[in-house]
Each structure stands twice: as C-alpha cells, then as structure tokens.
C-alpha cells in the first residue's frame, strides 16, 4: 500500500481535477489523503444555508462528504483564507493563501508528506489552470513541499483542447483564451478514470453549494462529460517515471 496526497486550493477542486485518481487509488488498496489550503470562504453563497451557518462551515461538510465517496482516509485543511479571484481585494487580506509565506506553508505540507511517507503528491500547473491566485499558490507551495520532503509531484490539470470541445458539444460559449495558460503540450501523464466517472460526479454533487445541478459539470450528458474528465492529466516533475502515475 502506498499513500497518495492530493493538495487543492478550495473545497470541490479535488473532485474536479483528481476525483477519479483518488477513487482509483482507493480501489487499488492505497491510502488517499486530501489537503485543502482554504475552506472556500469566498465562494458563491447559496440560498439554502441554515440560519447562522457560515459558507465555510457548509463547504467543510461538503468536503468530508465528497471525501467519503472518493475513498479518502484523511482530510486536512491548512487554515488559510480564500483569496478570491485575481485582482479581488481579498487577495491581500491578512491570512489569505495568496499572501502566505511559501516557505512556511510548504513546511506544513512537507511535514504531512513526511508523516504519511507519501509516494506521490498532486498539485496544479504554474498558472493554476485558469489563473486563480490560490491555485497558483498551490503550485508554488506544493513544489517547495515536494522538494523538502523528496516526494514526486504531479501537477493536475484539465486538457484544454478536451475542455473546449466539451463546451462546443454542449452548445455553450467557450471560455476566453488565457494567454498565460500552460499548453497541453507540457502534459506528461494521463490516468484513465473512466471507470470512476459516476463516483466522480457524485462527489461533485456533494459540493451542492458550489456545483448545482445546472452547472457545466453536472448538466453535461455522460458522453460529453467523459471527454474532459474521463482521463485525468498531469505534468510530472521530479524523480521517477513520467507515465503513468504509479503508486
């Protein structure tokens, strides 16, 4: 049995980018650990929160529910605040993940990697897929933590070409091109998770405050959903084989 640690910025990111890999690792007898930098305080506030309930409380509950579906043995939150989208005033508030000292945050994650004797760590690419400050910080902190702990790191991302094709098939307007995005050509590793798409979507549904039924993720038909999410893609850095992501 090996241990896979997946590091994410906010609740719900885990099921979108690595949900299939997490369930696959669990099914194959490995230990799965989920680390989330923030509690998603800056997310969309739904109209179904209970009186006095804070959004972060609901999102923590949703994370644990999704984690149970994905076979996660341990969930840890690093305790930073959601920084909001790039350019938001929340970027600079005290305690935001974007303003966190990389060395300090990496030290926290590296200690967990060492404690778990992690065989692999997943993070994000250098642009955080779409430029979100917390996603970029996951890349920076994860890379440094992996360096400290000596853990192979895989940068999780959606393949842009497949993502855009799914939008076209669904008759939706494609998102704008991100000039600083990391190109698909840098992808080194792909994991076939088509066997686990039902549980991956179930984990998305567990995050009902942020992924409603009418969302892009849940409104796609099964065939279209499988196009961008049936294989989970990674950019491999560090020691060991580039493909596939073996534990």
């Amino acid at each position: 049995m090996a241990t896979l640690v997946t590091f994410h910025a906010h609740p719900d990111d885990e099921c979108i980018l690595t949900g299939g890999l997490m369930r696959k690792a669990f099914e194959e007898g490995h230990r799965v650990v989920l680390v989330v930098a923030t509690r998603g305080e800056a997310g969309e506030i739904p109209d179904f929160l209970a009186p006095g309930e804070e959004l972060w409380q609901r999102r923590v509950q949703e994370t644990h529910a999704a984690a149970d579906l994905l076979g996660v043995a341990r969930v840890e939150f690093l305790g930073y605040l959601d920084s909001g989208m790039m350019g938001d005033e929340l970027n600079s508030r005290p305690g935001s993940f974007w303003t966190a000292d990389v060395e300090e945050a990496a030290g926290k994650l590296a200690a967990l990697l060492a404690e778990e004797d992690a065989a692999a760590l997943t993070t994000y690419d250098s642009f955080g897929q779409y430029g979100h400050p917390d996603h970029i910080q996951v890349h920076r902190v994860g890379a440094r933590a992996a360096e400290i702990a000596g853990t192979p790191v895989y940068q999780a991302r959606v393949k842009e070409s497949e993502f855009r094709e799914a939008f076209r098939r669904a008759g939706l307007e494609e998102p704008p091109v991100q000039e600083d995005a990391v190109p698909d050509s840098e992808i080194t590793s792909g994991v076939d998770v088509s066997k686990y798409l039902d549980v991956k979507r179930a984990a998305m549904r567990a995050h009902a405050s942020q992924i409603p039924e009418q969302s892009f993720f849940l409104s796609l038909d099964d065939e279209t959903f499988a196009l961008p999410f049936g294989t989970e893609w990674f950019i491999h850095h560090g020691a060991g084989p580039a493909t596939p992501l073996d534990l």
Side-chain angles (χ1 to χ4, degrees):
M1 182 180 73
T3 298
L4 168 69
V5 177
T6 64
F7 182 36
H8 293 277
H10 316 102
D12 77 21
D13 291 329
E14 80 288 343
C15 54
I16 296 169
L17 289 168
T18 61
L21 173 66
M22 294 163 76
R23 183 68 194 193
K24 180 177 186 291
F26 167 74
E27 293 280 356
E28 294 177 355
H30 301 298
R31 177 174 169 83
V32 180
V33 176
L34 169 61
V35 182
V36 190
T38 79
R39 294 182 173 88
E41 297 87 350
E44 296 291 329
I45 300 178
D47 58 10
F48 54 75
L49 292 180
E53 182 184 18
E54 299 288 343
L55 176 61
W56 70 265
Q57 294 172 314
R58 176 61 65 97
R59 297 196 73 180
V60 167
Q61 293 174 4
E62 292 174 342
T63 300
H64 284 281
D68 287 344
L69 292 168
L70 297 174
V72 174
R74 176 182 180 184
V75 177
E76 294 287 345
F77 290 89
L78 291 188
Y80 296 100
L81 295 174
D82 189 335
S83 307
M85 299 299 288
M86 190 64 82
D88 193 295
E89 62 181 9
L90 295 178
N91 293 175
S92 58
R93 69 171 165 172
S96 73
F97 190 45
W98 184 237
T99 64
D101 180 83
V102 170
E103 199 69 18
E104 179 184 1
K108 295 179 183 180
L109 180 57
L112 187 147
L113 293 172
E115 179 185 342
E116 291 286 351
D117 190 22
L121 170 70
T122 72
T123 62
Y124 307 146
D125 67 31
S126 59
F127 189 58
Q129 183 74 45
Y130 65 101
H132 192 294
D134 288 335
H135 285 236
I136 295 171
Q137 193 75 319
V138 161
H139 169 80
R140 295 172 177 170
V141 170
R144 179 59 182 140
E147 182 180 33
I148 295 169
T151 306
V153 61
Y154 292 80
Q155 302 169 14
R157 47 148 322 138
V158 174
K159 184 176 280 189
E160 188 73 14
S161 57
E162 295 176 346
F163 192 65
R164 291 184 176 281
E165 178 60 23
F167 267 80
R168 288 191 287 269
R169 291 189 185 186
L172 301 172
E173 182 179 352
E174 294 180 47
V177 174
Q178 304 273 3
E179 291 185 2
D180 296 326
V182 176
D184 288 352
S185 59
E186 292 198 17
I187 291 172
T188 60
S189 308
V191 179
D192 181 359
V193 299
S194 55
K195 181 179 177 181
Y196 309 103
L197 287 182
D198 286 347
V199 72
K200 182 167 177 166
R201 276 230 252 207
M204 290 180 178
R205 285 191 167 91
H207 289 283
S209 72
Q210 306 300 304
I211 308 181
E213 286 297 321
Q214 65 270 25
S215 68
F216 169 77
F217 303 103
L218 298 182
S219 63
L220 297 177
D221 61 70
D222 290 345
E223 182 179 352
T224 306
F225 181 80
L227 178 62
F229 300 114
T231 299
E232 291 179 350
W233 299 101
F234 301 87
I235 299 171
H236 172 73
H237 282 274
T243 55
L245 199 161
D246 291 322
L247 296 173

